[in-house]
Amino acid sequence: MRLFTEEMRKEISIVTHRYPMRVSGYYLGLITDRGDPIYRQCIPAPEELEDVTGQPDPLHEGAHCPVARLYHRYPDRVLLLATNNCAVYCRFCTRKRNISEKSSSISDRELAGAVDYLRHHEEVHDVLISGGDPLTLPVERLEAIIRAIRALAHIDIIRIGTRIPCVDPVRIDESLCAMLKRYHPLYVNVQFNHPAEITPESKKACSMLADAGIQLGNQSVLLKGVNDSPEVMKELVRRLLAIRVKPYYLFLPDLVKGTGHFRTSLECGLEIIRSIQGFMSGMATPQLVIDLENGGGKVPLSPVNVVDRQGGRYTLRNFENVRYDYVDSPSCKARG
Ligand SMILES: *Cc1c(COP(=O)(O)O)cnc(C)c1O
């Protein structure tokens, strides 16, 4: 298939002038049709320039950035942006504002600044290395970052957020896995948004990470025209578990300027969760989350299962929408 006509190339170049494009050869190869779920995620669309609703930084990350590249929004954990480089520039990126042709990664000085901050914040027990995509860094550089964080006794876990297993899986190799294995407890959160992204290659990448003892979670984004249906998401979560990845979050898209055409309703998200909960294992059910505008943070949302309550008598609905009474027991404290 010849993917792009001359006219399309022109249309795309108008968009890339403002929002750059990058797609790995592997991910491009997953496209089977114009406008298919892979295409929509990675090929620039004219709608990106028409979006007047979103903000460049709706999460107000800038307001919670005590030192360069480190975001401290929640009490016990921080986000470290190791690089702004990615293998694929997702068109719905939350940090679209940081994407530029020029890649920039954390410098030694910035790393020292972040570590120094963490040293003085013993309440932090969890460092999430993200970006950009930290797995685009050379293994030695990533190791230097992880080693510096691991040296702090109060940091329990290190997490890496990456799309590499999905968008460029051959980059997951023995040397990377052998390095990561030395820094447990380590978790990796990946991002698969559509069943078509689960291939023999991505399965192998996830296997290698899991064999290195790494717990794998998935953070999907609910995207119009990609995965905004119960059928697609049910297929995705089933296939994720089969490649040893536990669905973790399902995000409503952030209100980022240039991504408005991907927005779906909260009700659509709730409908998807209702279609999974109970019909499939609790293991398969991601937590639906909205990351609030103006830096409010993440809010987990669940379908309403308590349909009525009179004092200690609850009416609950099950996954089949049948109502049952539940009589609560007095709490330990109340019995005093
Ligand atoms: C999402 C996020 C985290 C991690 O949140 P979890 O709910 O623990 O996965 C940490 N810091 C910031 C700023 C975040 O946006």
Side-chain angles (χ1 to χ4, degrees):
M1 176 189 59
R2 194 159 156 273
L3 208 50
F4 305 113
T5 62
E6 210 42 54
E7 196 182 331
M8 288 167 79
R9 279 175 195 277
K10 267 198 206 113
E11 214 173 68
I12 288 171
S13 74
I14 296 171
V15 181
T16 55
H17 199 69
R18 171 82 193 276
Y19 300 117
M21 167 183 184
R22 177 183 280 179
V23 190
S24 65
Y26 164 84
Y27 200 66
L28 197 65
L30 297 184
I31 295 176
T32 55
D33 211 350
R34 272 178 213 130
D36 77 12
I38 308 290
Y39 185 103
R40 278 181 70 81
Q41 289 186 71
C42 66
I43 306 297
E47 291 95 318
E48 294 177 37
L49 297 176
E50 292 155 18
D51 179 17
V52 291
T53 55
Q55 310 170 30
D57 178 16
L59 308 182
H60 283 200
E61 290 188 319
H64 300 280
C65 185
V67 295
R69 294 182 184 271
L70 185 140
Y71 296 130
H72 193 179
R73 174 68 186 88
Y74 302 100
D76 70 336
R77 55 208 189 278
V78 301
L79 186 63
L80 184 70
L81 301 193
T83 174
N84 73 346
N85 195 32
C86 281
V88 168
Y89 295 156
C90 304
R91 306 320 299 173
F92 49 90
C93 183
T94 286
R95 304 202 179 87
K96 219 168 159 106
R97 68 183 189 281
N98 289 349
I99 297 172
S100 64
E101 306 283 2
K102 211 173 141 286
S103 78
S104 110
S105 301
I106 191 166
S107 66
D108 285 337
R109 236 180 101 201
E110 288 168 333
L111 179 59
V115 169
D116 194 53
Y117 178 85
L118 291 171
R119 191 175 292 120
H120 292 97
H121 288 267
E122 294 203 351
E123 75 278 16
V124 175
H125 302 301
D126 174 357
V127 177
L128 173 47
I129 305 173
S130 183
D133 198 316
L135 297 192
T136 60
L137 290 169
V139 175
E140 308 75 53
R141 186 61 190 154
L142 181 62
E143 178 165 22
I145 297 168
I146 295 175
R147 195 193 301 120
I149 298 167
R150 235 325 138 236
L152 300 166
H154 60 283
I155 304 300
D156 300 333
I157 66 170
I158 297 175
R159 289 191 279 171
I160 294 175
T162 178
R163 275 207 95 180
I164 291 295
C166 173
V167 298
D168 206 3
V170 291
R171 286 212 205 190
I172 306 296
D173 60 16
E174 291 298 345
S175 79
L176 173 72
C177 293
M179 182 278 281
L180 294 175
K181 203 176 166 166
R182 291 197 289 273
Y183 296 94
H184 278 304
L186 197 110
Y187 294 71
V188 169
N189 280 333
V190 294
Q191 185 193 134
F192 288 87
N193 294 322
H194 191 275
E197 294 170 338
I198 296 175
T199 64
E201 290 86 354
S202 57
K203 177 181 178 182
K204 174 152 187 253
C206 292
S207 270
M208 287 172 71
L209 290 166
D211 285 346
I214 297 167
Q215 302 257 1
L216 295 169
N218 186 64
Q219 310 198 137
S220 287
V221 186
L222 183 58
L223 301 166
K224 192 183 201 163
V226 175
N227 59 10
D228 56 338
S229 84
E231 294 68 38
V232 171
M233 280 305 296
K234 286 173 81 163
E235 169 88 5
L236 176 64
V237 295
R238 186 173 66 82
R239 296 187 60 185
L240 281 169
L241 288 176
I243 62 165
R244 307 165 74 181
V245 178
K246 158 93 183 69
Y248 175 45
Y249 280 154
L250 173 59
F251 286 106
L252 269 283
D254 297 328
L255 306 176
V256 178
K257 197 171 176 65
T259 69
H261 56 297
F262 285 110
R263 286 194 68 196
T264 51
S265 65
L266 169 56
E267 186 46 41
C268 171
L270 288 168
E271 188 191 331
I272 286 169
I273 300 299
R274 277 194 297 266
S275 77
I276 298 173
Q277 230 170 42
F279 293 97
M280 299 175 78
S281 160
M283 290 277 293
T285 316
Q287 174 70 61
L288 184 66
V289 176
I290 294 184
D291 212 340
L292 291 175
E293 261 190 305
N294 302 318
K298 294 185 181 76
V299 177
L301 292 145
S302 304
V304 175
N305 291 326
V306 178
V307 292
D308 192 27
R309 180 187 168 186
Q310 307 282 341
R313 294 188 74 90
Y314 290 80
T315 308
L316 307 181
R317 61 169 287 276
N318 74 354
F319 68 103
E320 296 153 314
N321 206 15
V322 179
R323 276 122 217 266
Y324 291 87
D325 286 334
Y326 175 78
V327 180
D328 203 13
S329 65
S331 76
C332 316
K333 272 197 196 120
R335 250 181 283 146

